[in-house]
Structure formats: C-alpha cells, structure tokens
Amino acid sequence: MQYHHSCKNPLYPTSLCSFVAMHTMVEVLMVGCTQAEGERLAHEVQQRVWDMERRFNRFDITSPLSVVNTKAAAEAVSVDDELYMALEVCEVFRRGTKGYFSVAPTSVVGLAPYLLNASQHTVQLCSGDVQIDMGGFAKGFAAEQIKTLLIEAGIGRGVVNFGNSSIAAIGCHPYGEWWGVGVENPLCKGIQACEVRLCNSAMSLSGRTPNGEYHIINPHTGVKVAQDELILVEGRSALVAEVLSTALYAAPKLERGAILSQFAGYEATEIYCTADGVKSRKIE
Amino acid sequence: MNRKEFLSDCGKMGLAGVTLSLFPWLESCSPKAKLAVQGEKVRIGIIGTGSRGLFHIKHLVQMPQAEVVALCDNYRPHLDNAAQYYPEAKLYDDYRRLLENRDVQGVIIATPLYLHAPMTLAAMEAGKEVFCEKSMAYTLDEALEVYNRRKALGRVLFIGQQRLFDPKYVKAMQMIHEGVIGEVVGVRNYWYRNNNWRREVPSPELERHINWRLYSEYSRGLMTELACHQLQNGSWAMGQLPEKVMGAGSLIHWNKEDKRDVYDTVSAIFTYPNGVNMTFESIISNKHFGMGEQILGTKGTIDLVTAMHYTDEPAPKGSGMHQFIEQIERGVMSNSVFAGTSWAAESSALAPGKPIMQDVKVVSGESSVGAEADGSKELLEAFLHAVITGKQPEKVLEESYYATQFALLADKAMHENAILTLDEKYKVPYEPLK
Ligand SMILES: NC(=O)c1ccc[n+]([C@@H]2O[C@H](COP(=O)([O-])OP(=O)(O)OC[C@H]3O[C@@H](n4cnc5c(N)ncnc54)[C@H](O)[C@@H]3O)[C@@H](O)[C@H]2O)c1
C-alpha cells in the first residue's frame, strides 16, 4: 500500500492511500485526520477490501462463492450472512433493472440465475451452467462499505475512488461546496468531457474499457454490447450507481428511461465522445 | 581543419531534434555535414532492381548527390522498370560487367540473400564502396569474410539495417541509456503477418528466381528476412551481445500450398551475459499483433514501434487524488479530471503511455518492400555521404554484422534443436552504441 500524508495546509491535513484490489486501483482520500490516524484507517480499509475480494473471488476455490458455483447446481448450499445478503440485493437489482443487471449474464438468458431460501439461508443455482461473478457488484459494494467505515471513524470529508469508474464522496471539498470530478474524454487524454459535482454522493461510469474493448454483456442475449457511449450515473449510493450504470449500458436506449425511473434520486446521462467534442443526453 | 575533422565536428546538430553527438554514425545526417558535401555527386550502380531496389531508386531520384549511372538485373522486366527512372544509365545482366565499369563509385546491392556476400566481396575487390541489403550474408563464415575483407581493403560498407537511422529508435535508445525505464530486464520482438509471402510468378520456371525467400537454397527465411532487423534492439539497448541462443521453427501452414522449405513459424530466445532474455517470434498465418518491439525496464517500458513510453509506477503523481491534495494544500478548489470507465490494471501496455517525440510515423511491418519514414532514406543518405567522404562510420557495421550472425545462429539452433553460442572465431571487436 502507498500512503501519503500532507499537512502543508494545517487547517486541512490530507491522507491518501492507494492499493490494488479487485483488478483495479483503489484510492482513498481523507481530509482532517492526523498522520497516524490516517494510516490506521488506511490499513483497516485495505483489510476490509481484501476480505471482500477474497469472499467474492470466484477463482479462489476456497471462497464461499466458489463453493456455491461448484456445488449449488446439484443441491441448495447454505451460505454466510454477507454472501446471502449480497445475493439477495443482486436479485432485487436484477428485477429492478428489467434483468439488465445480472451476476450471471451469460448463463440463463433473461431468467433468475438462482433461488434463495430465506428461512434456510441457502442458495440453489437454476442450472448447471450458471456461474456467479460478483465483479459488477463488488466494487460499488466495497466503495459503499468504505464510506460507512470512514464516516463512523469521524471522517467528514473525503473521496473513495475505485479505479476512476466508481467514486464516492464524503462531504465536500474544503474550499467548495462539492468535489469537482471531471470525466475524461476517452479519446483525448486529460480533456474533460463533462463535470460531476459530488457531495455526500457517488457516481459510476460504464462503457468500453480504456483499451477500447466492449466488456459489458446483455443478460437477455448473452453477448457483449457494442456501444461507444459512456453511461454516467449519479446518486446517493455508490453501489446503486454502479449497478445502474452497467444495466443502463446493457439496456436498449428505449428502455433506459423506464429502468431509471425505478430508482428515485438517481440521474443518468449518455455521453458520446469524439476526438473533437462531446454530446450528452440526460436519460429520462 | 580538414574535411574529416570538420565532419566529426558536426555531431551536435539535430536529426529531427535528436542529439547526434551520442550516435556518431548519424553525424552525416546533420544539416552541417550535408552542407559540407553540398554540390558533390556520387556515381552509383544498382545490382538487383526488384522491389527493394526500386524502393531505393524512388529515394535516390530525390537526392541530388546521387547519380545512378549503371543498373543490373538478370530478370529483364525488373531491369526495364528501373531503367525508366534512369534512361541514361548503362544496363547490365551480369553484375561482374557492372563492376568493371570504372565510372561507378558505389554500388547498392538488393538481390536475394545468397548473393549478398559474393557480390559484396567482388564489388569491394573492384574498388567500389558498398551498400548491401540485409542480412549481411547467407552463412556465418561468409559474414565474417565480408567483415574482414572490408577492413583489409578499407572500403565503406553499409548494411540495410535502417532502424539504426530511424529517429524514433534513436530517441528511444537515448532515453533507455539515460535510465528512463530503469534497468533493462527484457527485450521482446515479434513480427506477425497473415499472407503466404509469395509473389506472383509469370511462368513456372521463374518460381525459384522470384520466390527465392521461400527456399533455403537462397534464404534463411524469417530469421534473415525479418528477425535481423529486430535483433539489434537488445545489443543497442544494453550494449552487450547475446551469450546463447535457442529456438524452434516449423512449417505449419503454408506448406499445404507449395513446396517451400523455410519455416513459417519461428520462436527464438537470446540470452545475454547478464541473464536478460530477448525473444523473437514470427508467425505468418495470423497478423493480429502485427509487428512489435519492446524494451522492458524495471521502471517502465518503451515500445519502439509506436514510440511510446509506459511507466510501471502504479499511481503516477498528478492522478486525480493528487490534484485534490494540491488544491487543498494551496487553499483552492477546482475540477480534477480523472473519471473514466476503469483504471487499467497491471498490464502496463493498457496504462496510458506517453509518446517519446512528436510527429512519429508508425510503420506496420506488413509490407515486404519497406515503408516510408522507417530510416531507409536516412540510411541511404548516410551511405552516399560516406562514399563522398570515404569514411566508414564507427560501430554501425558491427551492429549489422552481429544482427546477421545471431539471426543465422538462431536458425541453426532451430535446425539442430540445440542451444548454441557464437563460436569465438566469429567474434569481431564490438563497441556498444552508447
Ligand atoms: N531493409 C529492408 O527493410 C528490406 C525490405 C525488403 C527487402 N530487403 C532485402 O532486399 C533484398 C532484395 O529483396 P526484394 O524484395 O527486392 O527481392 P526481389 O526478388 O524483388 O528483388 C531481387 C532482384 O534481384 C535480381 N537478381 C537475382 N539474382 C540476380 C543476379 N545473379 N544478378 C542480378 N540480379 C539478380 C532479381 O531478378 C530481382 O529483381 C533482400 O536481401 C531483402 O532481404 C530489405
């Protein structure tokens, strides 16, 4: 982990930690704590994210998720509270997004990938080819948890950045009423395509990877969506923003408004970038 | 000040902004050096006016210092093509007759590989200065003979390794020598195409004459035709020569179509005395990755083909969060532009890189004739310059010599299924291009 503390401005000392987790770079900026306190929190944050990464890692054969993926097609498997809760939330999101958010987008096209039994705390996969991948959920979930952890520790201003695509703000910039986050035009390095003002809120972006690849799958067809626009979602929770941006990107344009209307307090924008400029449209 | 001193003084001027003094063989490319030979003309003969020969001619017609007075090719249609550019030139079908022409000062040889050494030797014996296409020779022994004979005769000899004159390579190597990417820990070269490497043949008896590349009687295939260009990257970057070579080659795809006997798939590993490996890989039945040459260092990577520099530092200063910190330190607020679809993890090729210079011309490696802006023109100009001054530039022939020797050695390793070292007898004095 890299940790950097600055008290060049004694009114607002800053602490920044960065580490790699969940295949991305995690950065946490905390304003107003001492060097030691910041460092302690940074380690706690990293530990929490790594724990979560391990639990949700389908490639780690010892993870609870792997147990589900290998055994739960044949019989219902009982799981711990956290995984149960996560799967429950994912199912709510799947239904709330008309099926365009799915943790098993390639397996049972358009259907529920698993069944939960609340009294037994068990999960059963609906078919042998279902493989649950929490990738589209874990980052938003982790960002949300870190935010809570920091607020509980008394941090009133800060930013949690998961790989530049999922960003949650605590409070606002000490010298403004928000944190001003510029969305970079993917075709022009360093050039801003639009601005997002975060204050006790979060944002998420979905689109092609920085390498230009299409990677989001439409769960209704099982194939990758080939669209060049970015989808930006802003709202209170980093988790909801993350789920929504993925679902809206996967959904056909005409269905986007209806999906978004299920989530009160969230705004979404389609952003088209070219090397010469940017066009954007609010989803309504 | 005599001409030689004057020319060696010219090293501080710019070849597209590059510090020439660091690379003495580029001296002749400086504007001052060009000025010094202004008005002088070199009488040139060209042996082999096929596709590469014509490519050179298209550059030569733009160079006032070159006067092409003789052309030779034993395939009449190719000779006629070339003669259109130089109607006054004397035409030959036997290169030995061209070499007897006293008017010719320098020759450019662009014939199939197996002819390079005999033609170069004969030309030097006949008193000509020589530019011969790569690779330098068809066998290790012939390459050594050419090297030694040149030295004994004191002739100018250039080999067609144009990367040594390509501004983006020169700049990249300068950065590597300055430690920008840290210690060099790996060198990767590859060259992929998806075509049968054949040329059309007007009648069957011309098959071997035209498609000489495909037959081991005339060519060593991908190693001498492609690899030798890239094999100098390791020595140029690290200033040392490989210690051992291993490789594997096979004919996996195009043999279904014809009777060729050179590999269409090769992989070779060259290990340097410091343990660093350089790889070369070529497949001509898949072209997705194209041509690539990368120098890998402990702090970053330089991609020679695209002239990009990638750093391995995960969170470069100036990232979005650092911008927020700087604002808070200064008591101001503004936007920080960093949001995007995702931070590109681990693979530094995905991390955003920086161009090492402006106006870079990227060459795809798809053409088997040559590409514009790949250093070929500068190389030719440097040769003409050397013919005028009679001065062989330092170090550069050795680089070409070893590129050929290691291409041939790797080919041998593949055929013998062995790990090979270059025999002592083939070692000539080597000074790093640093
Ligand atoms: N430096 C580079 O990037 C580069 C690019 C392409 C080719 N080359 C090299 O240039 C050389 C020629 O390649 P090419 O693609 O032009 O091949 P090519 O077959 O088009 O040309 C070779 C020519 O040599 C002639 N020739 C053959 N035997 C002869 C003889 N005994 N006397 C006179 N002429 C004879 C042929 O008729 C033909 O016109 C090769 O060594 C190749 O490796 C270098």
Side-chain angles (χ1 to χ4, degrees):
Chain A
M1 184 179 70
Q2 293 195 1
Y3 178 76
H4 169 81
H5 183 82
S6 159
C7 26
K8 277 198 193 143
N9 181 340
L11 281 178
Y12 296 107
T14 54
S15 306
L16 174 68
C17 77
S18 53
F19 56 92
V20 172
M22 298 179 175
H23 307 293
T24 197
M25 173 69 73
V26 182
E27 291 177 304
V28 178
L29 172 64
M30 298 167 273
V31 181
C33 53
T34 63
Q35 160 123 26
E37 200 185 348
E39 199 158 3
R40 184 187 63 74
L41 277 172
H43 281 106
E44 203 175 317
V45 163
Q46 186 187 38
Q47 200 50 53
R48 184 75 72 86
V49 175
W50 281 357
D51 282 350
M52 223 174 294
E53 177 172 36
R54 202 187 43 76
R55 294 178 151 273
F56 291 152
N57 184 357
R58 70 189 173 103
F59 299 110
D60 175 352
I61 48 162
T62 64
S63 76
L65 185 64
S66 278
V67 176
V68 170
N69 276 338
T70 47
K71 301 221 171 104
E75 54 177 355
V77 168
S78 81
V79 294
D80 63 51
D81 286 355
E82 191 173 29
L83 184 54
Y84 188 86
M85 191 268 288
L87 290 170
E88 210 170 20
V89 172
C90 287
E91 187 50 18
V92 171
F93 282 139
R94 194 187 63 79
R95 279 191 247 118
T97 58
K98 296 188 167 188
Y100 285 102
F101 172 81
S102 171
V103 286
T106 52
S107 32
V108 272
V109 171
L111 304 173
Y114 49 80
L115 294 172
L116 297 169
N117 181 324
S119 56
Q120 310 282 317
H121 244 224
T122 58
V123 51
Q124 178 146 26
L125 301 179
C126 293
S127 92
D129 19 279
V130 172
Q131 286 292 295
I132 298 177
D133 178 345
M134 303 293 276
F137 172 87
K139 283 180 210 152
F141 186 61
E144 214 35 52
Q145 293 224 347
I146 296 173
K147 196 174 118 182
T148 312
L149 184 155
L150 295 179
I151 291 171
E152 283 170 2
I155 301 292
R157 298 174 196 275
V159 178
V160 180
N161 175 18
F162 260 79
N164 298 343
S165 64
S166 201
I167 302 157
I170 302 172
C172 58
H173 192 293
Y175 295 96
E177 288 164 39
W178 57 79
W179 293 97
V181 176
V183 174
E184 190 174 60
N185 179 338
L187 302 172
C188 314
K189 195 93 223 35
I191 303 296
Q192 176 170 306
C194 69
E195 186 206 6
V196 183
R197 297 177 171 185
L198 297 179
C199 179
N200 289 319
S201 63
M203 60 173 278
S204 171
L205 278 161
S206 289
R208 297 167 74 166
T209 66
N211 203 20
E213 282 160 22
Y214 300 112
H215 66 120
I216 294 174
I217 294 166
N218 176 350
H220 290 287
T221 59
V223 296
K224 286 182 184 164
V225 182
Q227 288 194 83
D228 294 338
E229 77 240 31
L230 294 171
I231 300 283
L232 166 68
V233 174
E234 305 167 55
R236 201 189 50 76
S237 146
L239 175 57
V240 177
E242 169 104 10
V243 164
L244 255 180
S245 71
T246 308
L248 293 174
Y249 182 87
K253 282 195 178 34
L254 290 173
E255 291 193 47
R256 288 176 179 166
I259 295 171
L260 183 63
S261 68
Q262 303 288 307
F263 295 82
Y266 287 83
E267 286 188 9
T269 314
E270 292 165 355
I271 306 171
Y272 304 85
C273 294
T274 64
D276 317 315
V278 177
K279 266 195 250 163
S280 56
R281 184 186 81 92
K282 278 241 171 292
I283 298 177
E284 277 158 350
Chain B
M1 191 191 281
N2 68 25
R3 161 173 274 156
K4 271 186 193 168
E5 283 164 353
F6 173 66
L7 289 175
S8 69
D9 229 5
C10 298
K12 281 114 206 153
M13 316 203 43
L15 166 88
V18 170
T19 327
L20 292 177
S21 54
L22 291 168
F23 301 101
W25 73 98
L26 295 174
E27 275 173 19
S28 60
C29 301
S30 73
K32 210 166 161 190
K34 284 180 183 167
L35 203 65
V37 296
Q38 205 171 29
E40 307 233 15
K41 270 195 183 294
V42 194
R43 289 181 307 281
I44 294 291
I46 302 176
I47 306 174
T49 56
S51 56
R52 187 67 182 173
L54 268 191
F55 181 86
H56 288 314
I57 287 177
K58 286 175 190 160
H59 283 143
L60 287 166
V61 291
Q62 301 166 28
M63 297 176 187
Q65 69 277 37
E67 191 184 344
V68 174
V69 297
L71 297 166
C72 168
D73 201 295
N74 64 359
Y75 180 55
R76 191 70 205 195
H78 285 177
L79 189 59
D80 291 341
N81 287 343
Q84 289 177 10
Y85 291 86
Y86 292 105
E88 311 279 287
K90 289 218 167 73
L91 304 183
Y92 301 87
D93 60 6
D94 184 336
Y95 75 96
R96 286 165 302 190
R97 300 289 89 74
L98 180 146
L99 295 178
E100 284 164 6
N101 181 339
R102 288 170 174 256
D103 212 19
V104 173
Q105 293 171 280
V107 294
I108 295 173
I109 300 171
T111 52
L113 177 69
Y114 76 107
L115 296 169
H116 289 182
M119 287 179 168
T120 302
L121 288 167
M124 292 192 302
E125 300 293 351
K128 316 294 184 200
E129 319 290 6
V130 179
F131 173 124
C132 180
E133 264 308 335
K134 48 44 67 174
S135 297
M136 195 166 163
Y138 174 77
T139 66
L140 293 118
D141 284 321
E142 279 180 342
L144 181 65
E145 192 187 345
V146 169
Y147 181 86
N148 286 337
R149 208 55 204 137
R150 183 218 74 85
K151 210 167 180 183
L153 294 168
R155 295 273 178 273
V156 165
L157 175 58
F158 276 58
I159 305 297
Q161 300 269 124
Q162 63 266 22
R163 278 165 177 67
L164 293 163
F165 292 79
D166 183 334
K168 57 181 179 293
Y169 282 74
V170 173
K171 171 75 184 173
M173 291 300 175
Q174 182 187 343
M175 289 170 68
I176 291 162
H177 296 161
E178 282 166 3
V180 171
I181 59 165
E183 208 181 308
V184 174
V185 288
V187 180
R188 295 197 332 151
N189 301 301
Y190 53 81
W191 207 322
Y192 302 115
R193 289 173 175 167
N194 196 346
N195 67 50
N196 66 5
W197 217 20
R198 297 187 66 76
R199 298 197 174 164
E200 239 175 82
V201 180
S203 78
E205 76 280 4
L206 287 168
E207 163 65 11
R208 294 174 79 86
H209 186 80
I210 289 184
N211 282 313
W212 56 270
R213 279 182 173 76
L214 311 183
Y215 302 98
S216 59
E217 199 182 333
Y218 318 110
S219 163
R220 304 304 321 171
L222 295 169
M223 293 313 293
T224 51
E225 292 306 312
L226 301 184
C228 77
H229 279 303
Q230 299 184 323
L231 297 187
Q232 82 213 349
N233 290 341
S235 48
W236 195 355
M238 290 186 287
Q240 29 180 305
L241 297 166
E243 207 170 51
K244 57 182 182 196
V245 182
M246 60 179 116
S250 24
L251 194 42
I252 56 170
H253 183 75
W254 296 110
N255 54 341
K256 293 159 198 149
E257 178 175 308
D258 57 38
K259 294 206 165 59
R260 76 182 63 188
D261 66 350
V262 298
Y263 299 140
D264 60 3
T265 296
V266 293
S267 288
I269 304 175
F270 303 80
T271 305
Y272 288 81
N274 60 0
V276 171
N277 289 325
M278 168 169 77
T279 58
F280 172 78
E281 199 172 86
S282 182
I283 294 173
I284 54 171
S285 43
N286 175 293
K287 66 174 181 183
H288 181 71
F289 290 102
M291 179 176 79
E293 299 166 34
Q294 295 129 12
I295 311 291
L296 283 51
T298 47
K299 292 190 193 152
T301 303
I302 285 189
D303 187 315
L304 298 167
V305 172
T306 57
M308 293 290 286
H309 170 220
Y310 301 92
T311 168
D312 260 10
E313 318 269 284
K317 250 205 163 332
S319 78
M321 297 298 117
H322 284 105
Q323 288 177 40
F324 281 140
I325 291 173
E326 277 162 25
Q327 292 165 20
I328 295 169
E329 286 171 350
R330 288 187 293 120
V332 297
M333 135 104 178
S334 83
N335 281 5
S336 167
V337 182
F338 65 92
T341 47
S342 189
W343 177 81
E346 276 134 70
S347 159
S348 56
L350 298 180
K354 274 204 250 135
I356 63 170
M357 59 197 282
Q358 288 181 332
D359 300 328
V360 168
K361 308 264 181 342
V362 176
V363 170
S364 77
E366 270 199 75
S367 161
S368 69
V369 177
E372 281 311 322
D374 71 347
S376 294
K377 195 172 169 198
E378 287 85 350
L379 169 62
L380 201 52
E381 280 176 335
F383 169 65
L384 298 175
H385 191 274
V387 180
I388 296 172
T389 61
K391 189 182 158 203
Q392 170 78 19
E394 281 171 25
K395 300 180 181 181
V396 53
L397 180 64
E398 286 70 18
E399 213 59 51
S400 307
Y401 171 82
Y402 279 112
T404 291
Q405 293 295 40
F406 283 106
L408 293 170
L409 193 65
D411 183 61
K412 196 163 182 264
M414 291 175 199
H415 283 91
E416 293 176 5
N417 205 4
I419 300 176
L420 300 180
T421 53
L422 190 67
D423 197 291
E424 281 303 318
K425 71 177 178 194
Y426 297 121
K427 294 201 176 144
V428 303
Y430 177 74
E431 265 187 78
L433 291 180
K434 279 197 181 180

